[in-house]
Amino acid sequence: MRRVLEGSHAVSHAVELARVKVISAYPITPQTHIVERLAELVADGVLDARFIRVESEHSAMAAVIGAASAGARSFTASSSHGLALMHEMLHWAAGARLPVVMAEVNRAMGPGWNIWADQTDSLSQRDTGWMQLYCEDVQEVLDTILMAYKLAERVSLPAMVVMDAFFLSHTYEPVEVPEQDEVDAFLPAWEPTEILDPADPHAFNQLASPEYYMEFRYKIQQAMEEALRAHDEIDAEFGRRFGRSYGAVRRIPCREGELAPLALVTTGSVTGTARVAQAALREKGTDVDVVKLKLFRPFPHEEVREVLGPYERVAVLDRNISFGAGGIFASEIRAALAGLDRRPRVYPFVAGLGGRDITPQTIESVVTRALGDEPPSDILWEGLKL
Amino acid sequence: MPIELPVHERMYSGHLACPGCGAAIAMRFLLKGLGEKAILSIPACCWSIIGGPFPYTALQVPVLHTAFETGGAVASGIRAALDARGDTETQVVTWAGDGGTFDIGLQSLSGAADRNENILYVCYDNEAYMNTGVQSSGATPTGAWTTTTPTGSPKPTRKKDIMQIMAAHRIPYAATASIAYPEDMVRKVQKAVSLPGTKFLHVYAPCPTGWKVPSEISVKLARLAVQTRIFPLYEVEDGVRYTINLEPVGYLVDEYYRLQGRFKHLTREALDRIQAQVDENWERLKALARIG
Ligand SMILES: Cc1ncc(C[n+]2csc(CCOP(=O)(O)OP(=O)(O)O)c2C)c(N)n1
Ligand code: SF4
């Protein structure tokens, strides 16, 4: 069924379609619409789930960890400061191998207070063992929530579905909403093997001495590697069933069958803007291929090498910064390309922090700079007003 | 009101507590009071160690070890999942130390109590952060030595009144208990389990290691704490109806204090001030019980 949905409500709908059993969340702008709608759905009996209204994000994550440990498909949503407050529990969810799914609305960290889009919040959580999937539009957000549960339950790791503040969370778009029976066929009920059960008592998450700890970590890394394959399979299956698939890394060529002199790597809603800029640039005689990166954890090293390796130049657009280093996607991409004998020159652009608009003009400027004589420094600021 | 202690044991031998550990004894009595179907959640504390390292466990109930400040929230999540699965019988229990309850975990405990979650929260109180080497907590009594309140500047403030805090949430049931009074403790566990909503048990559990006492006097100290009125045994229903369960003999606090290395620096004046505080608390409790 085709409906016009706000990004946040697309998330809530997907959670409903996934037949989530326990939801716990704490309000923070711009995540609030997601959980308000879920609270309504539960209160109205539309969604047969428990809604735990906790007193903090830390407790929200702790509560879903408890719920998943007792075998319930669980969900939470947060953003920015809320996500940062969860940090300790993010490690617990992954370390305990719980397939919790969270919608994370990218928002800048303070100070100064800023509620607008910026990926530094989610990227700061990259080493917690959570899978991270960045979405371009509202349809992708809805679809990705469903795929994220399947993926998380397949590899026993939590997953974060990441969407830009306002550009996605508060934007209404026409969305194809799948039927419940189709979703049930794609995403059957979760059948966990190890749960808290008085009839079969075990201790979970207890002291792990040096004798064991490292092997637990090895297994998480293995699960991440398995997740790369699982993601492709699940994405393909979703494509077969619903006619839409996204890929972990997707090349959007300027001209079919040709390699442009520059690949522009984008994430999140900026990809949509890049598509528009790509068409405008082509009109003006500048060819640029857009490469959309959806999967950040696990990082698709091999695919990144395959897709980007052949280019002369690669520009990366980062709406985030790791202070003292630079744009985070850029540094991961450079690391992935480092092993190649012949590798592209990487232009690491930082732009659009704290919700500053990344317009088609911003993208044209980035492309022009990357194709010009400017040396590919460790960090290139775009649109800075000094 | 004496009751028969259930004979079953749900603790294996070979746990890792220090000799004479009040927290280990307290767990034994908790498990005697709980029915067959229970799940424990244990935030960081001595019991994160006592229960045994992977792949062992000293307990014959499922345990979810969790982060320090999550006792109230994790139990809420487990409860929600069980309810969603149609299991309303299994009792979800949080078992936390005083630091995990009075201090860092107070927020999530308060959240759970505010929602009146159907859980039992048990705080075993050894009056300091023992797991990390005896640092002062909100439960550390006035005048006590700890590694963060050294004898040169012992704990200046009073022990936080966690029972008043919990009562103020108007939860159905809150009670104090002691390892020196097993029948009373087991009865309270059983009573708590029989009631819906949030139940809170504050259990006095001496720590020979942190209190600088010989391991064989833990139970004696726990009894003296009750008989000196330092730690009276009482219940609070719906936050307002107070019942004192045992009329203490009323020994002077010296009987209790002079046995413990953590108080040996206390002067006569300090002990007199403490006696005055204990008397004041007792009068207040009696007044509350009269109203109830
Ligand atoms: C966020 C966080 N801060 C600090 C610690 C370190 N820590 C672990 S146990 C503990 C003390 C526990 O004290 P208490 O709750 O009184 O239990 P006890 O050890 O006395 O049994 C501390 C400080 C931690 N695990 N997590
Ligand atoms: S330090 Fe104290 S509370 Fe901890 S195990 Fe030893 S005796 Fe028990």
Side-chain angles (χ1 to χ4, degrees):
Chain A
M1 194 199 354
R2 211 164 167 75
R3 295 181 54 182
V4 175
L5 283 183
E6 192 191 87
S8 297
H9 294 160
V11 173
S12 316
H13 261 290
V15 170
E16 181 192 338
L17 288 167
R19 297 188 186 276
V20 165
K21 288 287 167 222
V22 176
I23 299 157
S24 183
Y26 191 79
I28 182 169
T29 303
Q31 155 264 36
T32 43
H33 289 183
I34 298 173
V35 293
E36 285 165 4
R37 172 56 58 90
L38 285 170
E40 266 170 32
L41 291 171
V42 172
D44 296 347
V46 177
L47 175 54
D48 180 19
R50 307 281 144 160
F51 188 99
I52 313 175
R53 38 161 200 93
V54 278
E55 79 302 329
S56 78
E57 287 87 352
H58 195 285
S59 284
M61 188 46 65
V64 294
I65 286 171
S69 303
R73 189 175 276 165
S74 304
F75 176 82
T76 188
S78 196
S79 177
S80 184
H81 291 258
L83 185 68
L85 183 59
M86 282 179 183
H87 176 73
E88 180 195 26
M89 300 320 291
L90 297 184
H91 280 282
W92 276 81
R97 307 295 303 273
L98 299 171
V100 169
V101 170
M102 157 160 59
E104 146 60 16
V105 191
N106 271 144
R107 163 187 158 179
M109 294 293 300
W113 285 119
N114 177 305
I115 57 169
W116 294 277
D118 187 306
Q119 300 167 326
T120 307
D121 57 345
S122 56
L123 292 170
S124 307
Q125 308 304 330
R126 70 177 180 180
D127 302 329
T128 53
W130 278 65
M131 298 186 283
Q132 292 198 2
L133 298 139
Y134 288 76
C135 298
E136 177 180 347
D137 57 23
V138 174
Q139 181 74 60
E140 187 171 352
V141 164
L142 187 147
D143 296 345
T144 304
I145 294 276
L146 300 175
M147 287 190 268
Y149 273 108
K150 191 159 175 129
L151 179 61
E153 289 165 13
R154 168 94 61 95
V155 301
S156 298
L157 282 177
M160 213 180 268
V161 176
V162 188
M163 58 199 283
D164 288 327
F166 303 106
F167 296 124
L168 284 188
S169 62
H170 288 59
T171 298
Y172 284 78
E173 284 177 3
V175 176
E176 193 62 52
V177 181
E179 297 300 326
Q180 184 67 61
D181 55 344
E182 291 174 325
V183 174
D184 289 345
F186 170 73
L187 181 68
W190 178 39
E191 304 280 357
T193 46
E194 308 268 311
I195 59 168
L196 294 165
D197 178 5
D200 182 23
H202 292 278
F204 294 95
N205 310 338
Q206 81 257 56
L207 187 71
S209 63
E211 201 182 339
Y212 296 104
Y213 186 84
M214 194 157 151
E215 283 67 28
F216 285 136
R217 302 294 115 166
Y218 172 75
K219 290 196 164 188
I220 295 176
Q221 172 61 22
Q222 269 193 322
M224 278 285 185
E225 288 166 23
E226 189 194 333
L228 280 177
R229 289 185 293 279
H231 177 266
D232 285 350
E233 281 169 29
I234 290 166
D235 188 54
E237 185 193 337
F238 195 90
R240 281 194 304 279
R241 287 179 183 271
F242 300 99
R244 296 180 296 277
S245 72
Y246 303 92
V249 182
R250 181 146 291 181
R251 183 167 167 266
I252 305 154
C254 179
R255 293 171 203 277
E256 213 46 65
E258 279 180 40
L259 213 59
L262 175 74
L264 173 69
V265 182
T266 56
T267 55
S269 65
V270 170
T271 307
T273 316
R275 289 176 195 267
V276 174
Q278 181 186 45
L281 281 160
R282 189 181 140 149
E283 293 282 296
K284 294 184 197 165
T286 306
D287 283 8
V288 56
D289 294 345
V290 175
V291 173
K292 160 179 164 172
L293 198 60
K294 171 168 187 168
L295 194 61
F296 176 69
R297 280 294 178 274
F299 195 78
H301 286 95
E302 217 168 291
E303 219 179 325
V304 163
R305 275 194 287 274
E306 263 166 40
V307 174
L308 296 179
Y311 285 94
E312 281 297 318
R313 295 171 189 229
V314 169
V316 184
L317 203 50
D318 267 303
R319 181 173 247 156
N320 63 75
I321 182 162
S322 169
F323 298 118
I328 295 170
F329 281 101
S331 64
E332 300 249 349
I333 286 166
R334 279 194 294 192
L337 297 176
L340 295 176
D341 291 338
R342 203 208 62 80
R343 51 183 178 270
R345 293 166 74 172
V346 178
Y347 292 79
F349 289 97
V350 169
L353 299 185
R356 182 167 304 175
D357 227 0
I358 296 184
T359 62
Q361 290 69 41
T362 317
I363 288 171
E364 282 187 31
S365 166
V366 160
V367 168
T368 312
R369 285 175 67 185
L371 286 171
D373 300 331
E374 194 168 355
S377 315
D378 290 326
I379 182 165
L380 298 165
W381 292 85
E382 176 58 36
L384 204 56
K385 296 176 294 195
L386 288 175
Chain B
M1 183 217 320
I3 63 157
E4 293 252 320
L5 279 186
V7 288
H8 69 250
E9 298 288 348
R10 291 215 175 81
M11 244 165 100
Y12 296 101
S13 57
H15 63 72
L16 299 180
C18 312
C21 172
I25 299 171
M27 175 65 92
R28 238 189 101 208
F29 296 146
L30 168 78
L31 296 179
K32 280 183 180 293
L34 287 177
E36 292 263 308
K37 297 185 94 185
I39 293 174
L40 297 194
S41 131
I42 306 188
C45 59
C46 270
W47 255 101
S48 310
I49 310 299
I50 297 172
F54 175 84
Y56 307 106
T57 175
L59 301 176
Q60 297 171 35
V61 287
V63 180
L64 186 67
H65 291 273
T66 178
F68 201 11
E69 56 288 304
T70 60
V74 165
S76 306
I78 300 171
R79 177 78 269 155
L82 295 183
D83 289 348
R85 284 172 29 208
D87 174 357
T88 50
E89 274 172 46
T90 299
Q91 182 63 50
V92 180
V93 183
T94 291
W95 175 261
D98 48 283
T101 303
F102 287 58
D103 301 340
I104 194 167
L106 187 59
Q107 174 177 304
S108 79
L109 169 57
S110 177
D114 172 51
R115 296 186 300 274
N116 198 23
E117 295 282 356
N118 186 15
I119 59 170
L120 168 58
Y121 191 109
V122 188
C123 168
Y124 70 89
D125 182 4
N126 53 28
E127 302 198 315
Y129 298 137
M130 298 311 179
N131 180 250
T132 38
V134 200
Q135 298 86 20
S136 173
S137 81
T140 301
T142 321
W145 160 92
T146 68
T147 52
T148 50
T149 51
T151 46
S153 71
K155 173 95 182 283
T157 50
R158 291 199 191 191
K159 184 183 176 98
K160 206 187 267 186
D161 191 343
I162 193 73
M163 286 291 287
Q164 288 272 333
I165 293 171
M166 293 317 295
H169 287 79
R170 305 295 291 258
I171 53 173
Y173 187 63
T176 63
S178 163
I179 60 159
Y181 297 88
E183 292 90 348
D184 177 76
M185 175 166 169
V186 170
R187 178 185 68 81
K188 284 169 176 168
V189 172
Q190 288 170 341
K191 179 166 177 182
V193 169
S194 75
L195 297 167
T198 305
K199 290 82 62 171
F200 181 79
L201 276 192
H202 181 195
V203 183
Y204 208 63
C207 163
T209 311
W211 294 11
K212 300 187 183 232
V213 298
S215 55
E216 63 273 17
I217 70 163
S218 292
V219 175
K220 176 179 176 163
L221 281 175
R223 183 167 294 119
L224 271 174
V226 173
Q227 297 296 357
T228 51
R229 300 168 175 150
I230 289 168
F231 191 87
L233 295 178
Y234 63 100
E235 292 161 281
V236 190
E237 279 158 290
D238 299 317
V240 285
R241 290 195 305 285
Y242 282 69
T243 310
I244 297 172
N245 306 115
L246 182 146
E247 186 63 37
V249 172
Y251 296 129
L252 295 179
V253 296
D254 297 34
E255 298 284 338
Y256 172 83
Y257 275 73
R258 67 182 164 78
L259 293 173
Q260 302 179 49
R262 63 174 173 157
F263 295 122
K264 72 172 189 296
H265 53 278
L266 290 183
T267 58
R268 184 68 256 156
E269 291 91 315
L271 282 168
D272 289 345
R273 269 201 307 280
I274 289 165
Q275 181 69 60
Q277 286 177 8
V278 168
D279 293 345
E280 183 196 317
N281 285 347
W282 174 249
E283 288 308 321
R284 191 180 150 78
L285 180 64
K286 276 205 303 190
L288 286 166
R290 267 198 304 277
I291 307 169

